[in-house]
Each structure stands twice: as C-alpha cells, then as structure tokens.
C-alpha cells in the first residue's frame, strides 16, 4: 500500500504496509494461532480448539474501523480483538471459543505483535543500509585521489580527498548497522507472562508453553516476561536514532556540496525528483531533505519513548499505551532515511573539476598552515604565523595568489627559493595521512553478521 499523504515523506511503501492496520492485526492473529498450537502440543488445550482458532483467525473477517473505535474505550486493542476472535471461533466451534487467548494477557499480544513487526522491519532497514554502505564504499574507492576542500565552521580549510570524506560516511553507516542489528537481536523477544508475569494460569507448564511459542514465531524466549522492563526496546530505538543521526550528517554534507555556489556533488537525476513548482532550473536535494527530516524527528520521538519507561510495578498506566505509535514512527523514519541515503549513495555524481576550481578560488590561502610550518624552521613559528596572517589578508583582498604575495616579501625571499615556494602551494602534496586513514576506515568496518 502507499503511505498516507500526511506520511508520504515519513515512511516507505514497504514500511507503510508493514505498520498498516491489516498487518498489525495479522501479527496479533499470528500470536494467538501460535499460542493455541503450542498449548495444544503440550496438552493444555484440545487440539481441536487450536485448529478452530487457526481456522477462524483470518484478518479479512475483522471490522477494523470498529476494532479501532473499541480500542480507545478499552484502553488497548487486545480486549476488543480477543472478543472478536472469540466470537469468530465460537461461530465454528462453541467449545473452542473457551480456549482463545488461554493464559495470556493483553500486553502479551500487543508486545509480541510489535516484536513480530520489528523482525520484518529489520530486514527492510538492513537491506537499505547495506546498499548505502556499498554505494559509499564504491564512491570512496573511485575518488580516493580526488582532492577537495575540507571545510571547518563552513569555511575553506586545508585539502582532503573526497575518498576520505566518503569513507567517513561509509564507516558511520556500517557502525550504525552493526549496532542496530545487535539491538534488534536483543529486542526480538517473545512476550508471554499472563496477568502479572508469572503465567500462573498455565500452572507448571508456563515456561514450556513460552519456549514452544517462541520457537513457532521465530523469536527468542526471554529469561522472564518483560511487561514493564522496556530497556531492550529503548536500546533498539536509541540505535535507530544514532543511525538516522549519522544519515542526517551525510545528508547535511551533501546538501551543502550541492549548493549552486559550491556545486561539487549532485543527487541522482530522475523524472520528478528535486524539481520546483515555480523554478524550472532547480535541482533540489530532496533525498537529503527526507533524510534530514527523519533525523530531526527521531530524537523527539526517542525522548517520548524513554520518558515512558518508568512504568509502574507489573503493569503501567499510560506508558505502554503510548508506545505503539512511537515505535512505528521511529522505525518508519529510520527506514525512509536508510532508503533515501541508499538511493543517493548509489547514484550521486561528483564534479572533481569544480572541486579544483573551488580550491583555486582560495588563492592558495588554504595552504597557509603548510607555509607556516615550513617557515617556522627558518624564522620561528610565531613570526611565520604573523607573516602568513598578513599575507593571506592581502591575497584575498587583492585576489592574488598567496605564493605571489609571499614571493614579494623580502623576508620570505631570503629564506625560500621560488621553486620551493611554488611547491608549498600544491594541494596534492598536503594530504598527510588521508589515504592511510581512508583505507583504515574501510578495512576495519565491523562485520555485523559475525556479532
């Protein structure tokens, strides 16, 4: 399904479908079907009841608008959901209706349903983050020798390679992906605790049912139910926030490089992408805008989730009721950011010629640091610093190359021959360990599949 118009920049089609009403309902039904089957295998309920529950548990049989309206009055979707499911089961097998939701509580359904959705969301987000990582790594390799301006406080600074810049982006994505997968692994847990987290209604078979149910659903069976212990979900959402923050940093950099006055990079071209309703010439950084919008939203959503963690005793008031919408919004924001940055990484174009032009426009002043360190050995660092400060001001004010301004200084002329002075202002020869660091960033990326 398509995202609703109001959420069109906040999710992807796949994630909109994943968190749609019908998908959420199906996850709840999957829990009830698997619970009945696990209990039947262990001998707690009749196998005929489990079969009847599985047969009746079809999403198309539910009135979703009515279920949504009843949820607000009940304080949880599970109560009207179980009531509706029980009615459907009774219509086929009166006795089987007695065994619907046997031994479980409302939060067991809602938490496990959400975990099942998160498991599916992980695969979608992982795929896009992997695409982004591969795209950025290829970009780094292609431009390992492309010299560009570094920028500090948004001002031109000594040169780096674009390959190093892209490697930094790539490493951040990979670290975030690694941490996110670890957080997913820790959070994808079955919730089955019954009324107060003891499964007393299942007598001494509670753990056996939980283990069988977790196995059926492909989830980890936790040491104990976690109704009001929300730390693992919070860690997962924190990992989402870090990933979207890293993506936001990449998008910020690229959108600045796309400014007309800079013109060093561009997002992929596509019909209808990045245009303007009034200005035909525009090529807006729309992918970056979507990434930054997600990075802007997630911290506030995360704060909302974390503030709901102080839930009372064995079942909280208001905390769990706030979570579904928050978790879904964070997952969809993370997913649309991952999808957008992957598209950018795979199709971004770089203009090395414009990078060279922008370096030349600084009249060599970005290499003043290099000149200071060279002259410091001859006239002292403090004197060299003052001399270069004065020379750079003249170079920019008069739009003359800094090398030319320095060559006119008798003090410099006595210390440096013209050939050496010219070499001082070769940006290609002031890259330090850029390539070493680039290779280290790409070579030491953690492999999340081995975590």
């Amino acid at each position: 399904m398509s995202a609703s118009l109001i959420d069109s920049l906040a999710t992807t089609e796949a994630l909109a479908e994943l968190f749609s009403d019908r998908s959420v309902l199906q996850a709840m039904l999957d829990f009830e079907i698997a619970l009945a089957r696990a209990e039947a295998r262990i001998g707690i309920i009749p196998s005929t009841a489990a079969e009847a529950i599985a047969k009746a548990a079809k999403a198309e049989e539910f009135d979703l608008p009515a279920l949504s309206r009843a949820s607000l009055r009940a304080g949880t979707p599970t109560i009207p959901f179980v009531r509706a499911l029980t009615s459907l089961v009774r219509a086929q097998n009166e006795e089987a209706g007695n065994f619907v939701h046997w031994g479980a509580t409302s939060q067991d359904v809602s938490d496990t349903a959400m975990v099942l959705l998160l498991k599916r969301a992980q695969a979608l987000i992982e795929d896009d983050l992997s695409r982004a990582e591969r795209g950025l790594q290829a970009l780094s390799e292609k431009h390992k020798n492309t010299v560009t301006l570094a920028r500090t406080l948004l001002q031109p600074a000594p040169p780096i390679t674009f390959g190093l810049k892209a490697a930094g982006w790539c490493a951040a994505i990979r670290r975030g992906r690694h941490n996110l997968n670890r957080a997913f692994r820790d959070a994808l847990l079955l919730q089955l605790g019954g009324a107060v987290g003891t499964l007393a209604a299942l007598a001494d078979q509670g753990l056996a049912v939980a283990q069988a149910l977790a196995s059926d659903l492909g989830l980890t069976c936790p040491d104990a139910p976690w109704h009001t212990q929300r730390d693992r979900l919070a860690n997962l959402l924190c990992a989402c926030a870090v990933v979207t923050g890293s993506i936001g940093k990449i998008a910020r950099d690229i959108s600045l490089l796309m400014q007309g006055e800079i013109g060093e990079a561009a997002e992929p071209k596509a019909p209808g992408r990045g245009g303007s309703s009034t200005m035909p010439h525009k090529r807006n950084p729309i992918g970056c805008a979507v990434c930054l919008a997600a990075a802007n939203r997630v911290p506030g959503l995360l704060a909302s989730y974390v503030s709901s963690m102080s839930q009372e005793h064995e079942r909280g008031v208001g905390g769990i009721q706030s979570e579904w919408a928050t978790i879904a919004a964070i997952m969809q924001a993370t997913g649309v950011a991952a999808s957008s940055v992957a598209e950018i990484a795979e199709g971004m174009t770089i203009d090395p010629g414009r990078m060279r032009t922008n370096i030349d426009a600084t009249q060599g002043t970005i290499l003043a640091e290099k000149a200071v360190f060279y002259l410091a050995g001859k006239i002292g660092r403090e004197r060299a610093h003052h001399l270069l400060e004065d020379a750079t001001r003249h170079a920019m004010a008069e739009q003359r190359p800094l090398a030319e301004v320095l060559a006119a200084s008798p003090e410099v002329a006595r210390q440096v021959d013209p050939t050496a002075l010219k070499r001082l202002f070769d940006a290609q020869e002031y890259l330090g360990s850029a390539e070493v660091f680039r290779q280290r960033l790409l070579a030491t990326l953690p492999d999340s599949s081995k975590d």
Side-chain angles (χ1 to χ4, degrees):
M1 64 175 288
S2 298
S4 64
L5 190 59
I6 202 167
D7 287 330
S8 58
L9 300 181
T11 187
T12 63
E13 287 196 14
L15 286 167
E17 170 61 32
L18 178 58
F19 289 102
S20 69
D21 286 349
R22 191 160 296 280
S23 176
V24 172
L25 174 60
Q26 188 59 59
M28 297 169 75
L29 290 170
D30 290 345
F31 170 87
E32 294 291 353
I33 293 168
L35 174 65
R37 286 174 172 165
E39 291 174 336
R41 282 201 302 274
I42 293 170
I44 295 174
I45 69 171
S47 59
T48 53
E51 291 169 7
I53 291 168
K55 186 176 180 181
K58 300 192 182 305
E60 60 268 21
E61 297 297 326
F62 285 75
D63 184 342
L64 280 166
L67 183 59
S68 181
R69 288 192 297 269
S71 297
L72 182 60
R73 184 170 295 276
T76 171
T78 305
I79 292 174
F81 161 76
V82 171
R83 188 181 300 124
L85 178 58
T86 301
S87 295
L88 290 169
V89 174
R90 286 192 190 283
Q92 297 183 25
N93 184 323
E94 181 67 29
E95 183 184 0
N98 295 323
F99 297 102
V100 173
H101 196 62
W102 188 266
T105 196
S106 296
Q107 197 175 337
D108 294 336
V109 181
S110 59
D111 276 348
T112 302
M114 177 56 75
V115 168
L116 291 173
L117 297 174
L118 291 177
K119 185 178 181 181
R120 291 169 58 194
Q122 179 184 13
L124 296 173
I125 295 170
E126 163 70 12
D127 181 62
D128 283 332
L129 289 176
S130 295
R131 285 175 51 213
E133 180 191 321
R134 291 193 298 271
L136 292 172
Q137 182 158 355
L139 202 62
S140 176
E141 295 289 355
K142 181 177 180 179
H143 291 283
K144 63 183 179 181
N145 295 319
T146 300
V147 182
T148 188
L149 286 172
R151 292 177 172 91
T152 60
L153 279 67
L154 297 179
Q155 304 302 306
I160 58 172
T161 64
F162 188 80
L164 175 60
K165 195 178 195 77
W169 296 338
C170 181
I173 291 289
R174 187 69 178 272
R175 289 191 299 267
R177 185 169 70 87
H178 171 78
N179 291 333
L180 186 58
N181 284 336
R182 182 169 54 195
F184 267 117
R185 180 199 64 196
D186 292 343
L188 295 182
L189 303 174
L190 171 74
Q191 177 74 284
L192 183 67
V196 296
T198 63
L199 288 176
L202 299 179
D204 62 351
Q205 296 297 312
L207 181 57
V209 171
Q211 290 172 333
L213 178 56
S215 178
D216 262 12
L217 294 174
L219 302 176
T220 299
C221 185
D223 294 332
W226 43 278
H227 290 141
T228 49
Q229 305 297 335
R230 316 305 285 180
D231 55 298
R232 285 168 290 209
L233 280 177
N235 283 333
L236 172 58
L237 300 183
C238 285
C240 286
V242 171
V243 166
T244 55
S246 292
I247 292 172
K249 185 273 189 291
I250 296 169
R252 184 78 71 193
D253 284 353
I254 294 171
S255 61
L256 290 171
L257 293 174
M258 283 183 66
Q259 290 184 107
E261 302 88 334
I262 306 298
E264 296 179 358
E267 286 190 9
K269 288 182 180 178
R273 180 187 175 96
S276 166
S277 62
T278 59
M279 295 175 282
H281 72 284
K282 294 294 289 295
R283 187 175 176 185
N284 291 318
I286 192 58
C288 293
V290 171
C291 292
L292 286 164
N296 289 339
R297 281 197 310 277
V298 169
L301 291 166
L302 177 62
S304 172
Y305 187 88
V306 172
S307 69
S308 74
M309 288 178 65
S310 52
Q311 298 182 16
E312 302 82 5
H313 301 302
E314 282 63 55
R315 188 81 77 252
V317 182
I320 185 63
Q321 287 82 3
S322 74
E323 288 188 358
W324 265 21
T326 303
I327 294 171
I330 290 176
M331 283 295 146
Q332 290 180 88
T334 305
V336 76
S339 175
S340 296
V341 79
E343 186 177 10
I344 293 168
E346 290 174 337
M348 183 166 62
T349 56
I350 304 303
D351 189 342
R354 187 61 179 266
M355 291 177 174
R356 182 74 252 176
T357 297
N358 289 339
I359 289 173
D360 292 343
T362 69
Q363 302 293 348
T365 57
I366 60 164
L367 293 163
E369 179 192 57
K370 181 182 181 183
V372 166
F373 280 97
Y374 181 83
L375 290 172
K378 301 179 179 299
I379 61 175
R381 182 170 179 177
E382 185 175 354
R383 175 58 189 151
H385 188 87
H386 287 312
L387 192 153
L388 263 299
E389 275 187 330
D390 185 61
T392 53
R393 280 195 295 270
H394 282 292
M396 295 309 295
E398 300 166 13
Q399 282 299 290
R400 295 167 58 203
L402 179 57
E404 182 182 307
V405 174
L406 286 175
S409 165
E411 186 174 6
V412 173
R414 285 195 299 270
Q415 303 291 338
V416 187
D417 67 72
T419 302
L421 187 60
K422 185 176 181 180
R423 288 193 60 189
L424 278 179
F425 294 93
D426 184 350
Q428 193 79 43
E429 294 194 14
Y430 198 57
L431 295 172
S433 300
E435 178 58 12
V436 172
F437 291 148
R438 188 193 72 84
Q439 291 182 20
R440 284 167 62 89
L441 282 169
L442 298 182
T444 59
L445 298 173
D447 185 350
S448 48
S449 67
K450 298 179 180 179
D451 181 56

